[in-house]
Amino acid sequence: MGDEFHKDCPAREVLGHLAGRWTILVLTALLAEPRRYHELRTVVEGISDKSLAATLRALQQDGLVHREVGTGQPPPVTYSVTPLGRGAAAALDPLLQWIRANAKEITAHRRI
């Protein structure tokens, strides 16, 4: 077993961020193209401002997302995936594909 089973392993914190409810959706939306905050809110339906801000902040702090502030009034802020974030998204993609393929069966079990 890996170190992530130990309570003090730093990988647990990273796992917590990557396994967050909105993380995969936000990361995938940014993988397609850099986006501004309001575009992300439109693409990731149902996410609150608070959740989107917290998710972006955590992804940025982990070095998975880059935040670029442009010039203008108000200054445009664009979010994009970093090379490290692309690696994370590539690792998460099989999980997302599995979820897509099995979501109906899984939700059907809940009704039983």
Side-chain angles (χ1 to χ4, degrees):
M1 284 195 218
D3 289 340
E4 63 277 358
F5 288 97
H6 295 276
K7 66 177 181 166
D8 296 328
C9 178
R12 275 196 176 187
E13 185 177 357
V14 175
L15 179 62
H17 290 172
L18 289 176
R21 181 176 181 183
W22 299 107
T23 302
I24 294 175
L25 297 175
V26 171
L27 205 52
T28 303
L30 290 173
L31 194 57
E33 64 182 298
R35 297 181 191 269
R36 294 185 60 189
Y37 186 90
H38 72 277
E39 293 173 314
L40 282 168
R41 283 230 30 233
T42 301
V43 171
V44 183
E45 293 182 7
I47 192 168
S48 68
D49 282 328
K50 182 178 178 181
S51 293
L52 180 55
T55 300
L56 287 168
R57 191 175 318 109
L59 288 169
Q60 189 180 350
Q61 288 172 343
D62 288 344
L64 304 176
V65 166
H66 174 71
R67 180 180 186 264
E68 185 172 332
V69 180
T71 59
Q73 203 56 330
V77 178
T78 304
Y79 296 91
S80 60
V81 178
T82 65
L84 187 61
R86 287 193 183 287
L92 291 168
D93 187 56
L95 175 62
L96 187 56
Q97 288 181 33
W98 182 87
I99 291 169
R100 284 183 189 130
N102 294 285
K104 287 183 182 179
E105 182 179 349
I106 292 167
T107 55
H109 281 279
R110 291 183 193 158
R111 292 184 216 125
I112 296 175

